[in-house]
Amino acid sequence: MFPFFPPQIRGFYRGLLFPALSAGAYNSLFFGNFGFVLNLLEYSDSPTSLRKFCCEWGPVDEHWHRNVIIAGAVAGATTTIVGAPIELIKTQLQVKTDPILSRRMRSKEEITGPYSCAKYIFKLGGIRALYTGGWPLLLRDTPGFSLYIVSYEHIVCLLQGKMEPEQRPKIVHEIIAGGFAGEYFNLKKRCLELVVFSKYTSN
C-alpha cells in the first residue's frame, strides 16, 4: 500500500489498499439504505414526521426509535453484499495461509493483489466462495449497525439539546457522537469477530 515505506513498515499495511478504496461504496450503501428505509417507515406512520434526530423541532412519533433501529438493521444487513468479499480478500491478503491462497494450482499463477486474489477465489468456488463467512458477518453487522446508528443519534441529541426548526447539529457534536458510537459498535461486535475471522481463514 505504501511502496515508499521500508518492508518492515509495509507489512503492517498489507491488504489494506482494497478495503480503503472500497470504504466509500461500503459506507454509501449503508447510509443510503438507512435513509431510504427510514423514509419508508416514517411515511408509513406519518408523512409529515420525517426527521433524522429525535431532538429536532416538533413532537416525536412514538415509533421513531423503533424505525431507526429497524432501518439501521436492514441497512447493516445490506452492507454484507460488498462487505463479505472485501473482508475475505483483505484477510486472505493479510494472512496468506490455508485454505484459499495456499491451495492455488501448481502453476506460475501468483496472488499479487486484490484482483488476482478475487479472481482465484472465484475460480475455486464461484460467487459462493467470495461470500465465505457471510453468515457470521451478517449476524455481526445487522444488530451492530442498528446499535451504532441509534447510539449515534442519541449522543448527538445529548450534546446538542433541542434543535430549532431547520437547525442542524454542530459538526463537533457529530464527530464526538460518531466516535463514541463507533467504539460502542466495536465492543458489541467483538463476540462474533473471532468467528468471522476463523471462517475467512479456514474451510
Side-chain angles (χ1 to χ4, degrees):
M1 184 175 180
F2 302 105
F4 47 86
F5 283 176
Q8 295 86 345
I9 300 298
R10 289 204 303 269
F12 287 105
Y13 297 95
R14 179 184 298 162
L16 287 182
L17 179 60
F18 181 57
L21 295 176
S22 306
Y26 194 87
N27 291 326
S28 64
L29 185 63
F30 170 72
F31 287 106
N33 285 322
F34 171 74
F36 176 74
V37 175
L38 184 60
N39 283 345
L40 287 179
L41 294 172
E42 288 291 279
Y43 269 119
S44 66
D45 288 332
S46 173
T48 61
S49 65
L50 293 178
R51 59 172 63 230
K52 294 182 179 179
F53 301 95
C54 65
C55 54
E56 290 180 8
W57 181 264
V60 181
D61 189 273
E62 61 176 324
H63 301 304
W64 161 252
H65 291 100
R66 180 207 66 182
N67 293 342
V68 171
I69 292 171
I70 293 173
V74 173
T78 61
T79 61
T80 58
I81 297 172
V82 296
I86 290 172
E87 290 291 328
L88 174 63
I89 293 168
K90 179 193 73 174
T91 304
Q92 289 295 326
L93 288 174
Q94 287 174 338
V95 299
K96 290 191 174 181
T97 57
D98 287 333
I100 296 175
L101 298 186
S102 63
R103 287 172 50 199
R104 61 178 182 266
M105 292 178 288
R106 298 290 189 268
S107 69
K108 294 181 179 180
E109 183 176 15
E110 294 290 340
I111 305 299
T112 58
Y115 176 74
S116 58
C117 180
K119 182 180 177 181
Y120 192 78
I121 294 173
F122 181 81
K123 187 180 294 184
L124 286 177
I127 290 292
R128 186 172 182 177
L130 287 171
Y131 283 88
T132 300
W135 281 111
L137 191 68
L138 182 68
L139 293 175
R140 186 195 75 179
D141 286 353
T142 300
F145 275 108
S146 180
L147 290 171
Y148 167 80
I149 203 70
V150 76
S151 300
Y152 168 79
E153 188 269 340
H154 271 294
I155 296 171
V156 167
C157 287
L158 182 66
L159 297 172
Q160 183 75 27
K162 195 69 175 179
M163 292 189 287
E164 298 297 325
E166 306 300 326
Q167 182 184 359
R168 302 302 308 152
K170 294 180 180 179
I171 293 178
V172 65
H173 292 163
E174 293 186 305
I175 293 173
I176 293 172
F180 277 102
E183 285 302 313
Y184 182 62
F185 170 53
N186 286 331
L187 288 174
K188 287 294 184 181
K189 75 177 185 179
R190 290 304 175 199
C191 58
L192 282 171
E193 194 71 28
L194 182 60
V195 177
V196 173
F197 182 79
S198 64
K199 288 292 290 183
Y200 285 149
T201 55
S202 68
N203 285 320

